[in-house]
Amino acid sequence: MRHDRPPRRCEQQGLSMVEALVAITVMVVAGTIALLIYDAARRSFKKGENLSEQQQAVRIAFDELVSDLRLAGFNYNPDGDKLRPDEQIEAAYDTAIVIRADFDAEDPAQASSPEGTLAGSSFLAVSTGNDEIVIFALAKPDGTGPDTLTFFADVQEAQRDGDVELVSVPNVVLVQNDPPYTLYRITLNNDPATYGTSSFFTRTPVVENIRSLRFRYYDSVGTQLNTTFDLDDPSDDIGGAETTQARNARGAIRRIQVELEGLTREPDLGWADPDDSDPETREYRKFQLVSDVTPRNLGMVGIRDLQSDLVPPSKPARPTLVPGHCGGLYLVWTPNPPEDQVTSYRIHYGTASGNYTGQRTVAGTSYYLSGLSDGTTYYVALQAADAAGNLSVMSNEASATTSNTNTPAAPEGLTATTDLNGAVRAEWNKVTKNTSAVPAGDPSAPAIRDLAGYRLYRSETAGFGVGVSSRIADESTLRDASAPSYIDRGVVNCRPHYYRVTAVDACGVESAPSDEVQGLAVSRTPPATPQNVQAFITGAMRITVSWNTVTQDVEGNAITVDTYHVFRSMPIPEGVLPTDASSFEFLARVKGATQYVDRTAAPLGYTYWYAVSALDDCPNESARSAPAQASCAFSGDVVFLNPRDGATVAGVVPVRVAVQNGNDTYQKLELTFYHEERGQVEDREEIDDPGPTWTYHWLADPPGPYTITATVTNTLGCSKSATIQVSAGTSVGCCLSPPDPDLNPIVLDCTRPGPPPQECMEITYQMINNNCLTAVQIEAMTITWADNVGNGAKLTGVRFDGNLIWNVSPPSPSPASNTFSSPKPAIGVERDSTNPVSVTYVYDQVTSAKVRGEFRRNELTTSYDFVLLDELGQPTSITGTCGPSTGMFDNMIVEEHN
């Protein structure tokens, strides 16, 4: 019997599906964890690299800054000349500094170039050139900035003459509220011909990504000289003014504390600085470098060589004064004897006898003293100086009254030629003479000494007479120059224009006009297309077409256009749009206006469309505008009463719109606020009010350029628009005050929380939201007080309406400053004179008391920094400051109390 063997089962090979999925999952998880670990390590490395790299760059820059400061004032006055106007510190701002030092003293070549040529006859030696006046200031990374740093220095002449000139350094940042910045080291140019131009400055970037730069100045006993230290208001700095008070303050500086704070190049994502409320910098790591610098040369000057010539020249002769030129006197005098070895004379002058407020230095024995007031008596005396710097006694005084007895000669050589971009260049010869040889006492007569400039006239008619109506430029722009010229861009291309020019002196005396010349501007570039073409049915058989003036050609060059062509379509059924304006028929030529009245009416059920082109006399004609439909009647013109076109505004702005010269019934106004840089409408408001005048309070945020469009609709549904451009700024000044804004002084109530010795430890006043027109949020405040009671009272707290907003711990001496963190105190628009905020300062000692039989009470000032809030209560970009710098809260006294 046969038994069949059962078939063999195949043995299982490899992994099951479940096992494979589990293995893949484990691999994915492991890979993810590895990637996370790698990414965390990479980010940690990047963060450290970011921080260390920038720290090193800022430290190197800080060392350079401190090194230069240590040398401040070195060898600035090597011979101890008391009349030298140079200062060791030329300007001392809270956020910038200007120092002078002989930085190249150890360089054999540079030490005397150009210093060797700067002394001249006024000083024995000059050891610092313009390039050794060093400015440290911040600016934006591209070199721009909203502020101008100013100081005075003797820098304009190739030889120092002892007269100081205003130096204005533009494009710096003195109010540091928009970091990051770049630290710049700025020096002046040794070429005096560049004075007053951008080439006068050499800007060297030192380090980027700076948050702030601050300086504190101390005298020899350690008293801080810039005590207000308001970083948002450079007007209260020691600065660079040439007043006696400012010079004395700078001259008293013996120690400088410099603080430089840097930012990392990249933000530290996921981290926020708890001490930084600025959303732009909150995620950046900061590091601060602080150092006290004591320049050993401050307060020291050179001394004169005792072995040198100490014998002064003899007394100079009394000068002769010759009037006759506007605002000037010609001076001449007899020279000192040769044995005096006189190298120069110093002219002293003023408007009171013996009181000389001006000085000039000359090498010869005659001089034209210009820049005086006409019709004024001046007193003049001389001093002689020798090569050793010895000065004689004053000469006898002479006096004379300035007068104007001459008339400039008529200009000659006038030409008018075509310039680039369709303009006319007018050029003429410099006027060097008067019409007659007066004053007779001036040996150079009839040479003109008092020329102020020129007046240029233009007309489209030949043979025209000069007058105010034809004047296109005057001496305010056409000043005295070696090759006077003017580019006239106010002409229509290819249209003949006629020109005449006159000379005018400093007293406004005008010459006869020059010969007349013809000029012609030529261009092959057509004007830009007219914009804002509108057409309205303004009456029976009356359609008014209007458009904006064309001021540019198609390439964006400024041009003048006064001629337009108006085109009209055939009657088109209402509701049908024309394809374009190319097939429209020519209707009219309009010159000298931007409006045309078409005395017609379209058939019932039809409408007209209009287009406009601009053209010059070449003729170059623009493309036709977009078609505009003749819509229903709208009478009057839409105008902005406030703000004006081109205005700079800030904060809440009352926008007032009106319809003028109209008799319709108006239904509503629609306003749109288009931000040009952001490319979007930031605000839109519709006011359903019959008008014809409307007011809307607009919060101009965010800052920047805006186009505001106002569209008024009448009861027929017809609309008309007007536009203006404004620039929204970031500061509204001060709009907080006591209930009576004119209250001065502000008397602080003494709340007397307890019997002696506690009475008068709390003092209170009232504050309102005075026309901010929106709620404000307090960002910071500073309280300064004079301890007249003499008990060393310290501030322990501040309350708004009884609520503690600032716990001062430990108690602070004057001044006490606080930057608020969230939640920050806010003052709404409802807090007016009927509902003021009660502000209370709490001290640890009394602030008013009778001391040895006399009342003594502390005097205070307060500064508030605030930001405007929007309608949702969120902070905007618009800030303001109230305090002594704005004339508010600058005179606060505690009431008298026993």
Side-chain angles (χ1 to χ4, degrees), residues 409-414 428-431 454 501-503 511-515:
E412 298 178 346
L414 176 64
W428 57 94
N429 297 335
K430 175 181 173 64
V431 172
Y454 303 90
V501 65
T502 62
S511 74
S514 69
D515 293 338

Side-chain angles (χ1 to χ4, degrees), residues 557-575:
N557 302 309
I559 60 171
T560 297
V561 170
D562 67 353
T563 305
Y564 302 88
H565 283 171
V566 180
F567 302 86
R568 186 181 68 192
S569 71
M570 298 296 290
I572 297 177
E574 293 180 356

Side-chain angles (χ1 to χ4, degrees), residues 342-360:
V342 173
T343 58
S344 64
Y345 293 89
R346 295 189 180 180
I347 302 169
H348 302 271
Y349 61 94
T351 56
S353 178
N355 184 17
Y356 307 122
T357 56
Q359 176 186 305
R360 307 282 175 87

Side-chain angles (χ1 to χ4, degrees), residues 26 100 129-130 146 153-154 243 276 321 449 533 579 581 642 644 661 670 673 707 742 836 874 876 893:
V26 170
R100 178 192 291 267
N130 289 358
D154 182 8
T243 63
D276 187 357
L321 312 183
R449 297 184 183 272
V533 177
T579 54
N642 187 74
R644 69 182 187 278
N661 305 317
E670 183 178 2
F673 300 85
T707 295
D742 298 324
Q874 296 301 310
T876 68
I893 60 174

Side-chain angles (χ1 to χ4, degrees), residues 76 82-90 152-153 164 238-253:
Y76 85 110
K82 295 181 180 180
L83 297 179
R84 191 192 308 269
D86 297 345
E87 297 180 78
Q88 295 178 310
I89 297 179
E90 293 284 359
F152 289 82
V164 297
I238 298 173
E242 199 65 9
T243 63
T244 300
Q245 180 181 3
R247 286 180 64 93
N248 289 342
R250 292 192 293 270
I253 296 172

Side-chain angles (χ1 to χ4, degrees), residues 161 163 320-322 328-333 345 347 349 359-370 382 449:
D161 62 359
D163 293 333
T320 298
L321 312 183
V322 180
L329 294 170
Y330 176 73
L331 281 59
V332 63
W333 57 93
Y345 293 89
I347 302 169
Y349 61 94
Q359 176 186 305
R360 307 282 175 87
T361 301
V362 297
T365 57
S366 64
Y367 184 74
Y368 178 64
L369 186 59
S370 61
L382 304 176
R449 297 184 183 272

Side-chain angles (χ1 to χ4, degrees), residues 32 43 51 65 98 116 148 202 306 377 387 410 426-427 448 474-475 515 574 587 625 640 672 717 776 787 839 848:
T32 302
R43 291 173 60 184
L51 184 61
L65 168 59
V98 184
T148 298
T202 300
L306 298 180
T377 300
E427 298 177 303
I448 190 169
D474 59 20
E475 61 272 20
D515 293 338
E574 293 180 356
L587 181 61
S625 68
F640 281 86
T672 59
V776 301
D787 182 17
V839 184
S848 174

Side-chain angles (χ1 to χ4, degrees), residues 638-640 657 669-672 708-712 720-723:
V638 179
V639 297
F640 281 86
V657 177
L669 166 70
E670 183 178 2
L671 289 167
T672 59
I708 306 177
T709 302
T711 302
V712 176
K720 194 171 186 179
S721 301
T723 62

